[in-house]
Amino acid sequence: MRYDAAIIGAGAEGLAAAALLAASGVKTIVVERSERAGGRATTREFHPGFRASPFVDELPPIPADIHWALDLSRRGAIFRPAPVSSAIWPNRQNVLRRGDASSVHRFLGAATERASDIRAHAAREIDNAPRHSFFPLFKAQPAPASWPGEGWMASSLGEVLAREIGDPDTAAHLAAAALNGRTADPLVTGSALHLSTLDSSGAVTGGLGRLADALIAAAREAGAELFLGRDATDIRHAKGRVTGVGLADGSAIEARAVISTLDLKRTFLSFFQWNALPKEIVHAVGNFRMAGATARVLLALDTALSSAVDRRGAIHVSPDLGDLAEANSAWRTGTIAPRLPMTLRVVSAADPMLAPSGQAVVTVTLGAVPYRLFDGAWTREKRDVLRRQALAALEMAMPGAGAHVIAADVIAPPDIEEALGATDGDLAGGELAADQMSSAWPDFPYPRCPLKGLYLAGSWLAMSATCAAGAAAARTVTADLTSGKLK
Amino acid sequence: MSADAIVVGAGVNGLVAATYLAQAGRKVVVLEAKDRLGGACRTASFASGFQGPTLAHALYALDPRAVAELKLARRGLKFAVRDMPLVLLRADGKHLVIGRDVRAAARAIAVHSRADAEVWPRFRRELFDLARAMRPFWWDEAGKKMPAAIGMLHRLGLAAWLDSQFESDAVKAALAGDAAPLSPLAPGSSLLLVWRAAQEMCGLQGASAIPLGGPGALIDALTAAAKIAGVEFRTGVHVSDILMKDGAAAGTVLDSGDEIAASLVLASFSRRQLLATRAGRAAFGFSQAAELERSVPAAASAKVLLALNTPPAFGGIAVPLRGRFVLADRVETFVTAHAAARAGRLPEELPMEIVFPTVGDPALAPLGQHVVSIRIAPLPRHVTGGWDAARLAAKAIAALDRCASGLARHVTAAQVLTPDDIAAGAEDECVESVERMLSHWPSRIRTPIDGLFLCGAASEPVGAVSGRAGRIAAALALREAAR
């Protein structure tokens, strides 16, 4: 089997890359370990009649040009940002509504702008590549004098929020939103970088699985092949350039370009023999910091919930900067903090298709949950700790709801690693720190890497836009194929 | 009354600045709010027959140029300990001694990890090379450009840097102790380690030393140099404002209402303290003032001095008592302590640096008895319910007792300075940050007021007993006055 491009992983990035490559005439195949394509963008029935997206509820938006190029609206993937976000404490709450013309939203707008500057800065090199197909992914911008994230790098999340927001409740609310499902010490310099994730993420009506379906349709229609249930085991290479992908059944796919949508560590440390790789790659990848911090609890309830808070958006439970800092330091030592940062979403309130009528689905996203526990493996008892904390949060947000829980599914960091192939269950694909925000190899800006023919397209490369990393890789591969670099 | 130059604050930097100005032929008056000179450097009696360093207990950043140019050795500055090995104390007796001898250090590290022992010589060489490359930038006003060698290090937290080099908790914790002012997770903490390695004491790079007679002896030598140069001292006078004339500093106003006229004013203030004066408030723009007024969640420290009626003894691997001892299990001890400090809680494990001043200088205690000097940092600035000195001391002694068993029984007296006591003694709060470490000397020393310069520890790239800010501020002031 000979292809122009082989893509490892059929998540949103892999599917978008496949669709865009195939549409520009590149012979493309996608290899996916699981029987179902979608990656993070899946929706699963976790209890008869109750469905939820197990790993994330929302994804960052797809840039308009990609959305248009893949014709996703017609295929039924409609992004729906949550209209509201709340934070609740035992005796008070703080609510932010989308579109309020307040200083908070001015701040959010500025933060989003800065995040896109950081993205554009990282993409500038890519943009310099000759353009042969589709559309300008990133607007060409004059080179900024310094790295646009410099200001955030030198301040802490708590400090920026205190300065820009003032109201401590709103500040704690935004800190919890920025750290949602991750962990960082919000009082340590540099944690302000997490503001770059405060973006207008959205859910997809019918669950994120709809997005996967739309992307699969787009890829298939464009002529890309999907190889499901096939486990890629190694990336073949000779004389410093990639020649194809080896599969678990012993067969191989020959390809001039290989796009990996897995994270940096997984790509290099599990698809290659270390001693066969150039030393600078092993060194850079070995030092890249990844660690999962997310756990999820999916709850099925036999009643439609009523509550004092607006249930159409995220509900952050008792956020407090000090607690976030302490949860982070517990996380670093491999312990489960007594008060984990938690975010509730009544996903069935915004999307009734997810639960039987008159019943409800609530997801709880827990942050600062260590992948490795200091006292051993993730046993049933330890999962129960997460379940109990999640139920306590539910009871606090919606008094009386605890009695109606008929099923609870706990997804711990190792489960996320198992299901998505994310190293250490790290959904973000690496610690968000200033030194990790540019390419690990100064001479090879992402999506390229020092190994000719290998491209990176994991969602971690463009964390505030879905499909952007896949599209960037597709564009670079098309350019390299047509310019003869991969002869 | 009038003078050519006024120096506010008689700490090390103030004394250095005053001496340089006087040597350049200026009539200099030093104004000190307290009744004694010295600021953070002081040797005082804390129990009958026992003397100890009140705050700073080891010097590691003294400006070699100031030491030579002010001829401090001739004014009586001698060192009791010239190069203190770094000792990490562990409850299991596997103490780690890292001295100047790279091979001996590697052998000691091999007890914890063979891989780390192999890495150590290269890591130390690279750290010291990088640190030397940074010296022009940190040592002299002329160093304008940040050396390219620093690369991405200023964006890297120390925990991440050490994790990429070493595997054993012991080595990482020992090194993290030198960058304790910042959380090991914060960018800039790596730079703190480099800054520390860039310093020089007694001609040795990255050394720590104790003057004979304690840190107070440094002040005595500096005072002698200043007096010989003709500096005039006034103690017990509190400066309340800067006297302004035609938009430039023209002297100082004292609490008593008296005014002292001078065309140059060098103040050991931080920018925040300057803002507390009327002239400072008028000179800073609104946004700058708001920036400065923002409360900074600074970690504080505490100081404990113990009198011991026996030489300290540690079980396990032999340790040199002239070393500086770090008590921390791993890097996370500092991470957790910083998190707890900012949340206003006392951390479970107190990260401590311990020095035995009497080992090099037996005159500080009665014969055969010893002084233990403990610095606890980071700690919260305030705790709910206020600081309990006795509890803090008990906790520190208990932690030390775990490594030197039986030590607690030999403590005959203790003096505790809680963060409150330290704040009351020296109002200057130093907040370390990447920006401060990577900004230029003139930007830290100059103020919006012509003729007013900041020469205190807050103008150093990193707060420490150094004198460098005093020397550079004096040079800058003289040059600008000549214009």
Side-chain angles (χ1 to χ4, degrees):
Chain A
M1 290 182 284
R2 283 188 69 100
Y3 292 87
D4 291 327
I7 300 169
I8 302 174
E13 308 300 326
L15 292 169
L20 295 170
L21 279 172
S24 54
V26 176
K27 198 176 175 214
T28 309
I29 185 166
V30 186
V31 187
E32 166 63 45
R33 183 178 60 154
S34 148
E35 293 292 341
R36 278 186 54 87
R40 288 183 301 166
T42 44
T43 307
R44 187 173 87 189
E45 192 171 47
F46 66 98
H47 186 72
F50 294 86
R51 299 192 305 138
S53 304
F55 311 109
V56 286
D57 294 311
E58 297 180 340
L59 285 177
I62 297 177
D65 42 8
I66 304 176
H67 202 276
W68 173 81
L70 299 177
D71 202 3
L72 293 179
S73 312
R74 188 175 59 80
R75 301 183 205 276
I78 297 172
F79 264 84
R80 198 169 33 73
V84 62
S85 158
S86 341
I88 54 159
W89 293 268
N91 47 7
R92 62 188 196 280
Q93 55 175 286
N94 179 281
V95 179
L96 295 176
R97 281 175 207 288
R98 183 168 291 277
D100 280 2
S102 67
S103 62
V104 175
H105 286 86
R106 272 201 302 283
F107 166 73
L108 288 177
T112 312
E113 208 158 283
R114 173 94 67 102
S116 72
D117 280 351
I118 295 178
R119 216 161 45 233
H121 187 83
R124 213 176 56 240
E125 288 294 324
I126 307 173
D127 212 50
N128 291 338
R131 193 169 297 146
H132 288 273
S133 63
F134 22 101
F135 41 81
L137 172 58
F138 298 105
K139 277 183 243 110
Q141 283 183 342
S146 65
W147 186 55
E150 209 76 52
W152 277 344
M153 186 199 84
S155 30
S156 74
L157 191 51
E159 193 183 322
V160 171
L161 291 174
R163 181 178 57 213
E164 305 285 337
I165 302 294
D167 172 39
D169 280 1
T170 313
H173 181 172
L174 288 176
L179 293 177
N180 179 18
R182 306 156 185 266
T183 185
D185 186 332
L187 301 169
V188 154
T189 321
S191 55
L193 281 170
H194 282 266
L195 288 170
S196 60
T197 63
L198 263 187
D199 220 321
S200 47
S201 291
V204 174
T205 308
L208 291 177
R210 279 285 175 85
L211 173 63
D213 294 341
L215 286 168
I216 292 169
R220 285 230 163 97
E221 255 173 56
E225 284 180 50
L226 256 63
F227 229 40
L228 299 178
R230 300 300 184 92
D231 204 355
T233 52
D234 59 304
I235 296 174
R236 305 268 159 98
H237 63 119
K239 293 179 196 154
R241 62 162 299 170
V242 162
T243 57
V245 179
L247 302 181
D249 57 13
S251 63
I253 295 169
E254 275 182 54
R256 288 200 281 164
V258 172
I259 299 177
S260 168
T261 64
L262 296 169
D263 60 61
L264 196 63
K265 273 193 182 320
R266 178 74 44 154
T267 299
F268 287 100
L269 303 185
S270 68
F271 284 128
F272 293 95
Q273 282 180 312
W274 298 4
N275 52 14
L277 281 177
K279 220 172 164 184
E280 81 256 26
I281 295 188
V282 179
H283 186 74
V285 171
N287 283 342
F288 192 79
R289 302 186 298 285
M290 296 187 67
T294 316
R296 299 255 299 170
V297 179
L298 312 178
L299 301 170
L301 288 93
D302 64 2
T303 173
L305 294 159
S306 61
S307 80
V309 275
D310 193 322
R311 296 169 298 130
R312 291 170 303 157
I315 304 165
H316 304 283
V317 179
S318 300
D320 173 77
L321 289 174
D323 282 347
L324 287 171
E326 292 206 90
N328 176 262
S329 73
W331 170 81
R332 283 191 64 88
T333 51
T335 40
I336 302 174
R339 270 185 295 178
L340 292 169
M342 275 185 279
T343 303
L344 264 65
R345 284 190 185 85
V346 187
V347 288
S348 59
D351 189 354
M353 291 158 82
L354 295 174
S357 115
Q359 309 195 28
V361 174
V362 177
T363 66
V364 186
T365 308
L366 299 94
V369 180
Y371 170 80
R372 281 183 200 84
L373 294 170
F374 82 101
D375 54 352
W378 270 98
T379 55
R380 178 184 287 271
E381 290 73 34
K382 287 172 190 147
R383 283 165 202 267
D384 271 341
V385 174
L386 300 184
R387 190 197 318 264
R388 275 199 301 277
Q389 288 213 19
L391 289 175
L394 175 73
E395 193 57 37
M396 201 193 118
M398 291 153 230
H404 294 280
V405 173
I406 53 174
D409 193 4
V410 179
I411 301 164
D415 307 329
I416 293 177
E417 176 172 50
E418 172 60 27
L420 297 180
T423 303
D424 288 6
D426 190 345
L427 281 172
E431 185 188 315
L432 192 53
D435 60 299
Q436 306 217 105
M437 297 198 76
S438 53
S439 171
W441 308 282
D443 299 338
F444 296 91
Y446 298 141
R448 293 191 178 93
C449 72
L451 208 58
K452 202 171 158 192
L454 180 62
Y455 299 84
L456 301 170
S459 55
W460 58 280
L461 287 171
M463 61 215 159
S464 44
T466 305
C467 294
R475 201 152 65 76
T476 314
V477 168
T478 322
D480 285 0
L481 284 169
T482 39
S483 66
K485 271 192 193 161
L486 295 174
K487 274 269 159 56
Chain B
M1 181 183 174
S2 77
D4 294 333
I6 296 171
V7 175
V8 184
V12 170
N13 276 314
L15 292 170
V16 168
T19 314
Y20 272 104
L21 290 172
Q23 285 182 347
R26 306 297 158 118
K27 182 176 176 230
V28 185
V29 184
V30 174
L31 306 177
E32 168 60 48
K34 303 219 173 48
D35 291 331
R36 51 166 187 84
L37 311 177
C41 275
R42 192 179 173 207
T43 315
S45 167
F46 67 98
S48 159
F50 290 88
Q51 283 186 301
T54 311
L55 287 174
H57 57 199
L59 305 178
Y60 51 84
L62 210 51
D63 182 19
R65 250 183 83 180
V67 173
E69 289 175 359
L70 304 183
K71 303 189 177 68
L72 294 185
R74 206 182 291 174
R75 308 290 166 236
L77 180 66
K78 289 193 184 62
F79 285 92
V81 184
R82 308 176 74 87
D83 185 14
M84 307 165 78
L86 176 62
V87 184
L88 180 83
L89 288 178
R90 289 169 60 97
D92 61 6
K94 282 161 84 176
H95 312 307
L96 173 62
V97 184
I98 301 180
R100 190 154 296 273
D101 183 340
V102 178
R103 292 202 187 151
R107 275 197 301 279
I109 291 171
V111 172
H112 297 273
S113 157
R114 282 194 172 279
D116 288 358
E118 272 172 34
V119 171
W120 176 254
R122 178 185 57 76
F123 178 80
R124 200 188 106 114
R125 192 181 59 242
E126 286 177 4
L127 174 66
F128 273 37
D129 286 353
L130 175 61
R132 275 198 304 279
M134 289 297 288
R135 271 184 183 171
F137 183 75
W138 278 329
W139 278 20
D140 279 303
E141 178 208 343
K144 286 218 172 78
K145 211 163 170 300
M146 186 177 73
I150 205 76
M152 295 285 273
L153 206 60
H154 65 294
R155 293 190 186 163
L156 191 66
L158 183 64
W161 189 27
L162 294 179
D163 283 345
S164 76
Q165 306 285 331
F166 301 107
E167 59 177 26
S168 71
D169 282 334
V171 180
K172 290 190 262 183
L175 292 171
D178 275 353
L182 276 177
S183 164
L185 299 184
S189 47
S190 300
L191 221 49
L192 268 179
L193 192 66
V194 177
W195 181 84
R196 203 55 199 257
Q199 303 310 312
E200 179 184 303
M201 285 301 298
C202 310
L204 297 170
Q205 185 179 0
S208 298
I210 301 182
L212 197 62
L218 170 64
I219 296 301
D220 295 343
L222 277 170
T223 313
K227 286 201 168 138
I228 289 168
V231 175
E232 196 183 317
F233 288 93
R234 287 185 67 185
T235 54
V237 287
H238 197 92
V239 173
S240 63
D241 199 4
I242 308 294
L243 197 60
M244 299 290 291
K245 198 171 152 195
D246 305 332
T252 54
V253 184
L254 307 183
D255 261 358
S256 57
D258 292 352
E259 292 179 356
I260 303 179
S263 56
L264 282 179
V265 178
L266 279 74
S268 311
F269 286 162
S270 66
R271 266 160 211 277
R272 278 165 67 86
Q273 283 171 308
L274 182 58
L275 195 61
T277 65
R278 208 147 37 92
R281 183 162 288 277
F284 282 116
F286 176 77
S287 65
Q288 218 180 342
E291 181 89 355
L292 288 169
E293 276 209 327
R294 201 156 32 94
S295 71
V296 187
S301 63
K303 189 75 203 304
V304 179
L305 282 173
L306 303 177
L308 220 56
N309 62 11
T310 166
F314 296 90
I317 293 173
V319 293
L321 286 178
R322 65 192 170 85
R324 56 198 176 92
F325 293 71
V326 173
L327 200 64
D329 280 349
R330 43 185 178 167
V331 178
E332 276 70 23
T333 307
F334 293 98
V335 174
T336 312
H338 271 282
R342 281 179 317 241
R345 282 181 271 256
L346 195 63
E348 288 292 315
E349 297 170 53
L350 300 177
M352 310 199 292
E353 186 187 63
I354 303 143
V355 164
F356 300 101
T358 38
V359 172
D361 196 353
L364 295 174
L367 196 64
Q369 307 200 31
H370 282 273
V371 172
V372 189
S373 170
I374 306 174
R375 185 169 179 275
I376 312 172
L379 283 178
R381 185 70 188 74
H382 303 284
V383 285
T384 41
W387 282 102
D388 181 348
R391 200 174 136 233
L392 195 63
K395 208 167 154 143
I397 293 171
L400 193 55
D401 192 62
R402 274 197 289 282
C403 301
S405 100
L407 184 134
R409 278 182 286 125
H410 296 285
V411 174
T412 54
Q415 183 202 48
V416 186
L417 291 182
T418 65
D420 283 344
D421 302 331
I422 291 178
E427 297 96 26
D428 195 15
E429 54 183 60
C430 281
V431 183
E432 317 296 348
S433 73
V434 200
E435 283 157 316
R436 185 173 155 200
M437 272 183 270
L438 294 181
S439 61
H440 303 146
W441 277 102
S443 71
R444 293 189 298 261
I445 288 174
R446 280 210 192 97
T447 64
I449 302 171
D450 280 346
L452 174 68
F453 301 86
L454 301 182
C455 67
S459 303
E460 302 269 355
V462 174
V465 174
S466 160
R468 208 166 273 138
R471 166 170 68 80
I472 294 175
L476 209 68
L478 287 171
R479 191 143 33 86
E480 300 209 346
R483 252 181 232 155

